[in-house]
Amino acid sequence: MSCPPSVDARKALDFLRTSGLVDLSVPLERVVGQVSQLDDVAGYVLAWERYVLVVANEVAADAATPSDN
Amino acid sequence: MRTEEPGVRSSRWRAVETQAVAWLAARRDLLDPRHTHPDRVLFTRKALIETAFLVGLRARLDDAPLTGDYAALLEQVEEVARQPSYREMIPRDEAALLLYAGTYAALRLCGREDLEFRRLIQQAVDGGYAAAFERIPYRQLDLLHTLHVCGIAHDLPTMDEVLPFTLLCRRPNVLKLTDRDVYAITHTIFYVTDFGRREPVWPEGYDPREGVELVEALLVLAEGRANADLTGELLCCLYSLGVTDACTEDRAWAYLESVQEDSGRVNGPEGVVHPGIDSGDDHYRRWAEAYHTTIVAALAGMLARSTRRRPVTARRNPPAALRLETPLRSAVVWLCEASLPQDPRTGLAGVAAAALGAAAIDEHDLVQPALQYYAARLADADPAFWQEQGMEVVGEFALALRAADVACPSLNGFLKAAADAVGSLTTIPVDIADGVHRLHALGFVPASTAAAIPRQNAHREPPHYPLHAALALREALENYHLGQLAATIRTLVHQGHGPHRITQDAIAFLVAQQNTDGAFGHPATDEPTARRKAQYSWTRSAVTALATAVERRDVIATG
């Protein structure tokens, strides 16, 4: 069984393991929350799949209460 | 590498199709809009035409008569379609023509011609709205394809005329695409190829093999996100494009097989169903969440065994890689200048990154003034300073000083002490291999010490693109985390994945974040100190990644 490294050797191991060329910290608060969401801004839905799902309740409600015309 | 005979694989895929269709057929009563909750009527009609399309395609792709579960599904479709409450929606709900016309198409393809149903569709198409209102391009292709399989005459622009306007043909960045974008791509491919039965006239300058490359890249991302629905659709796209790359095909199938339940059900992605649509009905919810993905799995099986697909398209060579020298050079110049006023604790990493970048483009002189300035500032630095910086930064800095013939006494003393500490170890951990090799390159440890550590084989190309890395890239783009993006690019390039479409698109995105002064990143803040800090961090990270990419010549255009 090998002996644990001395304090100096342990510091050297820490030093040799440390990488830092790429900065993985986040240097700025996220701003993506401010980025516009197309659907929210445009106020309408582009995709047919969404059409079916989102308006289903409205259309069904209309069908359930026929107009007097 | 294939581990099974082709016949075994195809029989397993056939089993996926058979079980999927059995599951759908056992729940065919849920396809009847007359018997569903009012809130679910439109959803049910959508499921009905998608099921009808599956049955219609089965009739087109396989000469064998419809029997068993396929026949049961056809009976259900026909039963619904013959009702006035269904077919008379065509003149009443013209905006949703596609919700109804597909059902007729399936009946027609299965030999169940219905002339009155056909007349209603033709009348709608000849009118001034149903086929006339503006649709986004892939939905226009949906209309044209539906009319084609319905055999309905029209005077609309052709599919090949619409094709240039689609996302598919604009060489999108795969990492930016939303699920909705990917569905636009898959459906474009389904329609313009008529599920593999038609050769489109591709727009001038468009190489259809680009589409294959795009689909394969999207498959990696879909599987990484555990999205069986997109995995199935993208697999169908490969078949529709006439591509049967064994590796990609096997991987997609292995995933689909792994997620298919014993009942044949293949669950859809989370959130696929509107939260209010199930009304607490678990049986309905489980069907609603899975019916589309299960149809897609069956379709993939059908296309895999189809003998009517087009001949296989040759795969294209790896794409022309990006030219990175010019952006790298201007970033190095910016980084050197920006490093001078920095506190050395943050500035040294920037200088080291700049030195790495300058070395990659063989322009060492670019960093000479910054190196001399930092060497003088740090001539008497405390060992704790170097310790804190870590070997990657310190090593690059030291190598650059060595190449520039610039001395830094405190650094030499620290590295010698570190080398002595390494020499005192009885065994050297593998995770410090890079650091020890750097010490050796600097002449601080003998070759025998470095040789005792096995080098990681950085040039062996792994068989598959790592899913976690693909997701990390996507997440980094979403969060505008350029440091994470750069780190992942660097790792992927080291692993031999530099030429892959996903890595190339990540690099393209990174390069697009460069400003005209050479700095990377758009902080979207007006505060000068925060702007400077963010750009210094991002530029240092970007330079490190781009330098790695340039050093690996496989990502540089040779022309």
Side-chain angles (χ1 to χ4, degrees), chain B residues 207-252:
Chain B
D207 182 345
R209 291 174 296 182
E210 278 182 36
V212 175
E213 178 190 289
L214 173 65
V215 169
E216 289 182 337
L218 291 171
L219 262 170
V220 172
L221 289 161
E223 187 185 339
R225 296 168 58 215
N227 188 324
D229 204 78
L230 283 178
T231 299
E233 289 217 1
L234 291 161
L235 179 59
C236 291
C237 284
L238 286 183
Y239 289 132
S240 297
L241 290 167
V243 176
T244 48
D245 173 80
C247 190
T248 308
E249 183 185 29
D250 285 353
R251 183 166 174 161

Side-chain angles (χ1 to χ4, degrees), chain A residues 11 15 17 20 23 32 49 60, chain B residues 38 139 392 431 478 537 540:
Chain A
K11 283 178 75 174
F15 167 72
R17 283 191 187 106
D23 186 3
V32 287
E49 286 81 4
Chain B
R139 280 295 165 213
E392 191 183 38
D431 64 350
E478 284 174 357
S537 162
R540 152 190 156 196

Side-chain angles (χ1 to χ4, degrees), chain B residues 21 60 103 108 126 226 274 286 350 376 385 406 430 445 492:
Chain B
V21 175
R60 291 178 86 195
T103 313
R108 178 173 181 261
D126 292 341
H274 191 274
R286 282 183 55 75
F385 171 83
V406 177
V430 174
V445 298
L492 286 164

Side-chain angles (χ1 to χ4, degrees), chain B residues 430-453:
Chain B
V430 174
D431 64 350
I432 63 165
D434 286 346
V436 174
H437 284 301
R438 277 199 173 91
L439 281 176
H440 169 61
L442 288 161
F444 287 102
V445 298
S448 56
T449 304
I453 307 169

